[in-house]
Amino acid sequence: FDLVGEDVLVTGAGPIGMVAAMSLGISYAVWAPGEAQTRLLIGGLIVPLAWGGAMAWTLADSRILRATAVLVGTAIAGFGAAMLRGFA
């Protein structure tokens, strides 16, 4: 069973990219200046664009571990930033 083959690449690109994209959208909605409705709208529009970009980059990159590490780091940083603002 090849853990770094094309099957893992294709099935891992979507979920990992979605989590990273959600973290970016939520972090934007929490930290951006402006009205709450505008921040939520733009944050919601960021998610599908970032998700598509993350999946395209993950599928195009030949090193799956690098793409995974960057997307997991992005998710941790985005959700961490949103939590810090929520606690303040």
Side-chain angles (χ1 to χ4, degrees), residues 53-83:
M55 285 193 309
W57 175 62
T58 304
L59 293 172
D61 194 359
S62 63
R63 297 183 180 172
I64 185 68
L65 295 178
R66 176 177 53 191
T68 303
V70 169
L71 291 176
V72 168
T74 301
I76 290 171
F79 284 128
M83 286 183 359

Side-chain angles (χ1 to χ4, degrees), residues 3-84:
L3 291 178
V4 239
E6 301 228 356
D7 295 333
V8 173
L9 179 68
V10 171
T11 58
I16 296 170
M18 181 61 187
V19 171
M22 281 183 6
S23 74
L24 291 177
I26 291 171
S27 183
Y28 180 87
V30 169
W31 282 95
E35 295 293 323
Q37 296 89 349
T38 305
R39 293 187 322 226
L40 286 172
L41 178 70
I42 294 174
L45 292 174
I46 286 174
V47 173
L49 293 175
W51 188 15
M55 285 193 309
W57 175 62
T58 304
L59 293 172
D61 194 359
S62 63
R63 297 183 180 172
I64 185 68
L65 295 178
R66 176 177 53 191
T68 303
V70 169
L71 291 176
V72 168
T74 301
I76 290 171
F79 284 128
M83 286 183 359
L84 284 176

